């Protein structure tokens, strides 16, 4: 299931997304931010000292957590 949110036009969606991200652990938020900055699992892994596949699984878990939280908010 793919969740699409136009974060530029829907204020409620922005708030729900920010709340979902806010519920992540600080470590997960840092990894998500680093991944967003580099846009590369390989570069993120290098910065963290782990493999790209480890980053893939971490980001996959984080995305699932966010999706679950948004589903609870009906987004």
């Amino acid at each position: 299931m793919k969740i699409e949110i136009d974060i530029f036009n829907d204020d409620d969606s922005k708030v729900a997304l920010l709340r979902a991200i806010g519920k992540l652990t600080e470590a997960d938020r840092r990894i998500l931010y680093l991944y967003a900055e580099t846009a590369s699992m390989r570069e993120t892994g290098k910065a963290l000292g782990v493999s790209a596949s480890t980053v893939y699984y971490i980001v996959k878990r984080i995305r699932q957590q966010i999706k679950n939280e948004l589903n609870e908010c009906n987004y």
Side-chain angles (χ1 to χ4, degrees):
M1 176 168 81
K2 185 174 181 181
I3 298 173
E4 294 184 21
I5 298 174
D6 183 354
I7 62 170
F8 299 105
N9 292 324
D10 187 347
D11 287 336
D12 290 338
S13 295
K14 286 182 216 178
V15 170
L17 180 58
L18 290 174
R19 282 187 180 151
I21 292 170
K23 289 184 178 184
L24 297 172
T25 66
E26 184 176 338
D28 283 349
R29 284 193 307 270
R30 286 181 180 185
I31 291 168
L32 192 61
Y33 176 77
L34 182 59
Y35 175 63
E37 283 288 307
T38 64
S40 163
M41 292 196 185
R42 182 176 295 153
E43 289 180 36
T44 302
K46 241 190 229 184
L48 296 172
V50 299
S51 69
S53 61
T54 299
V55 174
Y56 170 82
Y57 287 110
I58 292 170
V59 170
K60 183 178 177 179
R61 178 183 49 77
I62 292 169
R63 289 180 64 202
Q64 188 60 50
Q65 284 179 265
I66 292 171
K67 284 180 184 181
N68 291 343
E69 185 64 33
L70 291 176
N71 283 336
E72 288 178 15
C73 296
N74 297 317
Y75 279 98

